[in-house]
C-alpha cells in the first residue's frame, strides 16, 4: 500500500482565510491568498504589521476554527481505503494540540496517531507529498519522490504537478494507479 503524506494548513484546512481575516480586521486591509505571489507574507502586509503577521499563527483558537477545504474530508475518507495516509504538518508553539484536536474532530478515520509534526517533510518516508509550501515541495521533489502542489499563486514557480482542488487531486491519483 502506498503512503501519501498530506499537509494540513492550506491543503486540508483553510488557514489563509482565517489568518488574513484577523490581520485585515486589525489593520483595515484586504489581504487574501490570491495576492500572495511568494511565500513571505510579510511582503504583502502594511508596514506597521510587517513580520507581526506571523503572530496571528500563535493565537489560541486559530487552528481549531479552521474550516476544511471543499471535498477534503470526503476525498480523504475514500483515499484511506486504498492508501496509508499520514498528515505531515509543521507547527508553532501550542498549535500542536489544536491540530490534533482538529484531526480528531474532522478526520477520525485518520486519527492523531497518523500526524507527524516536522519542519523537514522530505525526511519522512512516503511515496507522495501533497503540500503547498514551495520549500517543502522542492525538497521532497529533490529526493526523487513525487511532490504535488495544491495550486496557489505563492507556489506557482515550483516545478511540480499541481491541482486546484481535492476532487482534482483524487482524479490525478486515479490516473496513476
Amino acid at each position: 500500500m502506498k503512503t501519501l503524506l498530506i499537509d494540513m494548513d492550506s491543503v486540508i484546512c483553510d488557514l489563509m482565510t482565517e489568518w488574513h481575516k484577523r490581520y485585515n480586521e486589525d489593520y483595515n486591509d484586504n489581504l487574501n491568498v490570491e495576492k500572495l505571489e511568494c511565500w513571505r507574507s510579510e511582503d504583502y502586509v502594511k508596514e506597521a504589521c510587517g513580520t507581526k503577521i506571523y503572530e496571528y499563527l500563535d493565537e489560541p483558537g486559530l487552528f481549531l476554527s479552521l474550516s476544511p477545504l471543499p471535498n477534503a474530508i470526503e476525498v480523504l475518507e475514500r483515499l484511506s481505503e486504498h492508501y496509508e495516509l499520514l498528515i505531515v504538518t509543521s507547527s508553532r508553539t501550542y498549535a500542536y494540540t489544536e491540530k490534533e484536536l482538529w484531526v480528531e474532530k474532522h478526520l477520525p478515520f485518520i486519527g492523531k496517531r497518523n500526524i507527524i509534526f516536522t519542519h523537514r517533510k522530505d525526511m519522512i518516508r512516503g511515496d507522495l507529498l501533497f503540500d503547498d509550501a514551495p520549500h517543502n515541495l522542492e525538497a521532497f521533489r529533490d529526493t526523487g519522490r513525487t511532490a504535488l502542489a495544491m495550486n496557489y499563486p505563492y507556489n506557482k514557480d515550483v516545478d511540480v504537478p499541481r491541482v486546484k482542488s481535492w476532487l482534482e487531486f483524487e482524479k490525478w491519483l486515479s490516473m496513476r494507479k
Side-chain angles (χ1 to χ4, degrees), residues 81-103:
E81 297 173 15
H82 307 285
Y83 298 94
E84 179 75 29
L85 301 178
L86 296 174
I87 296 172
V88 290
T89 187
S90 60
S91 197
R92 294 168 54 100
T93 61
Y94 65 87
Y96 293 96
T97 302
E98 289 194 9
K99 287 184 175 194
E100 282 188 356
L101 291 170
W102 194 97
V103 167

Side-chain angles (χ1 to χ4, degrees), residues 45-57:
V45 298
K46 291 185 175 181
E47 190 175 328
C49 181
T51 58
K52 289 189 285 186
I53 185 69
Y54 301 110
E55 292 176 11
Y56 291 99
L57 299 174

Side-chain angles (χ1 to χ4, degrees), residues 137-155:
L137 294 164
E138 290 168 342
F140 200 84
R141 176 201 62 207
D142 291 348
T143 68
R145 294 174 289 167
T146 303
L148 182 75
M150 180 63 92
N151 193 48
Y152 290 104
Y154 56 80
N155 66 27

Side-chain angles (χ1 to χ4, degrees), residues 37-173:
E37 294 287 326
C38 78
W39 186 247
R40 295 171 39 93
S41 292
E42 69 268 23
D43 293 351
Y44 299 91
V45 298
K46 291 185 175 181
E47 190 175 328
C49 181
T51 58
K52 289 189 285 186
I53 185 69
Y54 301 110
E55 292 176 11
Y56 291 99
L57 299 174
D58 295 329
E59 288 184 356
L62 173 71
F63 289 95
L64 286 174
S65 71
L66 301 181
S67 298
L69 285 174
N71 305 111
I73 293 172
E74 299 83 3
V75 171
L76 282 166
E77 193 157 15
R78 287 192 296 268
L79 293 177
S80 71
E81 297 173 15
H82 307 285
Y83 298 94
E84 179 75 29
L85 301 178
L86 296 174
I87 296 172
V88 290
T89 187
S90 60
S91 197
R92 294 168 54 100
T93 61
Y94 65 87
Y96 293 96
T97 302
E98 289 194 9
K99 287 184 175 194
E100 282 188 356
L101 291 170
W102 194 97
V103 167
E104 286 181 323
K105 176 181 178 183
H106 296 281
L107 304 168
F109 55 92
I110 293 176
K112 70 180 185 179
R113 290 192 51 210
N114 289 322
I115 303 173
I116 298 172
F117 292 97
T118 183
H119 295 286
R120 290 287 313 273
K121 296 177 183 181
D122 58 306
M123 300 299 290
I124 306 301
R125 189 176 5 180
D127 299 292
L128 175 142
L129 173 67
F130 186 26
D131 208 307
D132 67 308
H135 57 281
N136 291 330
L137 294 164
E138 290 168 342
F140 200 84
R141 176 201 62 207
D142 291 348
T143 68
R145 294 174 289 167
T146 303
L148 182 75
M150 180 63 92
N151 193 48
Y152 290 104
Y154 56 80
N155 66 27
K156 69 184 179 320
D157 295 329
V158 180
D159 185 22
V160 297
R162 53 194 57 249
V163 297
K164 295 179 183 175
S165 70
W166 273 92
L167 294 176
E168 205 175 305
F169 175 60
E170 185 176 36
K171 182 177 179 182
W172 187 91
L173 281 173

